[in-house]
Amino acid sequence: MKRAHLIYIGLLALVFAACKKEYSLENSGNLNNPLIIGADCRTSKIAYIDSATNVGFGSIAAIINILDQTSQITQFDSLSATIDFQSNIVYAADTVYINPDEYFVIDVLSKRIKRMHGLIDPTDPFSDQFDADYIYTAAGYLSQKSYSLTSLPGIPFYIVNYSHDALGNLVHMSSNETFTGDLISDADLDYYPNIRPKSNLYLFPDELGYSQYNQFFNFGLRPTNAVKNYKVRYYDPGNVLRDSTVSTFSSYIMSRDNYVLSVMMYGDDQFSIPARASKLVFSYKCK
């Protein structure tokens, strides 16, 4: 596997204080009581807003059908009134097509994503193809992604490992090119011990090119606690630190039934979170 392939996957998307628990009327999943979201709900939209002016920067939203399937994902730039990203999703048995050339495969028993088939260069339909296998712990947390060229199955060129604490929170990530052993990126995260949201954010710090899908499909159990600090480091060959992105999360506002209504994200944007560092406001779709 040529290193250029891995660099393209890793860098494609690069081109392209105290916590306060409160209750708020900002988000309502229950018309009778706007402080109650619901019994079995998941994130359907994240809006990112300038906290000083309350002007929206944009949003990413999913249409979730009556079968609880995500059928469309749209990322909208409110400042320019344009669509930055849209995927119309097609289901065929255990396969979920996110476009004509790329798809996820679902484990029919666990309902989790078990594989992704993609293109090294998604803008070129004749690009080399890859398969990413998703490996979960016995408890149900994503523990590894293993990337192989479709033409060389079972020979991974890139591996991502996730480490969790005793509560199931993702606390460390490392991604490596297997043939050289070079570190591509790593990350450390910590959490608020007293905040345990329902339908918590998935946090996959390695994700660069497909982050729009992170929140709207089943990638195993979500973190137990609310994230506080999020730091990702990126490396040049030889494990030479090139750059880092550092974010903090505070001022969580919760519904009475413990869903996150909003949170302040300070510091850097994170490629793995398809939103600007700003006030993040959440909406939910309930079964």
Side-chain angles (χ1 to χ4, degrees), residues 67 69 89-97 103-109 111-114 217:
L67 299 177
Q69 296 172 331
I89 297 160
V90 177
Y91 291 78
D94 65 347
T95 304
V96 183
Y97 288 90
Y103 56 82
F104 292 110
V105 180
I106 298 174
D107 185 293
V108 295
L109 295 179
K111 308 302 182 184
R112 298 188 294 245
I113 298 296
K114 68 176 183 180
F217 291 97

Side-chain angles (χ1 to χ4, degrees), residues 24-97:
S24 171
L25 296 176
E26 288 184 75
N27 187 313
S28 173
N30 185 323
L31 295 179
N32 296 318
N33 187 341
L35 299 181
I36 302 296
I37 299 299
D40 190 356
C41 310
R42 63 186 179 104
T43 302
S44 61
K45 181 179 179 180
I46 305 172
Y48 26 108
I49 297 170
D50 185 327
S51 61
T53 64
N54 212 35
V55 172
F57 293 124
S59 65
I60 183 164
I63 296 175
I64 300 172
N65 63 28
I66 59 173
L67 299 177
D68 197 38
Q69 296 172 331
T70 298
S71 59
Q72 186 184 80
I73 300 172
T74 302
Q75 189 161 20
F76 185 74
D77 184 329
S78 299
L79 298 180
S80 64
T82 57
I83 293 175
D84 286 338
F85 169 89
Q86 188 168 78
S87 176
N88 294 302
I89 297 160
V90 177
Y91 291 78
D94 65 347
T95 304
V96 183
Y97 288 90

Side-chain angles (χ1 to χ4, degrees), residues 228-234 243-249 264-280:
K228 181 179 182 181
N229 297 306
Y230 191 120
K231 182 173 184 178
V232 189
R233 295 166 291 267
Y234 303 94
D243 198 4
S244 64
T245 51
V246 181
S247 306
T248 60
F249 296 76
M264 294 301 303
M265 177 180 174
Y266 295 104
D268 297 319
D269 296 343
Q270 295 289 348
F271 297 110
S272 58
I273 299 176
R276 290 178 61 167
S278 59
K279 181 180 181 179
L280 307 184

Side-chain angles (χ1 to χ4, degrees), residues 160-166 168-174 185-193 200-207 215 222-233 245-249 252 265 270 272-273:
V160 181
N161 288 301
Y162 301 106
S163 300
H164 300 82
D165 65 16
N169 298 309
L170 174 65
V171 293
H172 185 73
M173 178 281 299
S174 63
S185 66
D186 65 7
D188 291 295
L189 303 88
D190 59 37
Y191 299 80
Y192 291 101
N200 205 353
L201 276 173
Y202 278 127
L203 300 167
F204 302 129
D206 60 291
E207 194 61 78
Q215 306 306 322
R222 296 171 182 264
T224 299
N225 295 91
V227 66
K228 181 179 182 181
N229 297 306
Y230 191 120
K231 182 173 184 178
V232 189
R233 295 166 291 267
T245 51
V246 181
S247 306
T248 60
F249 296 76
Y252 278 89
M265 177 180 174
Q270 295 289 348
S272 58
I273 299 176

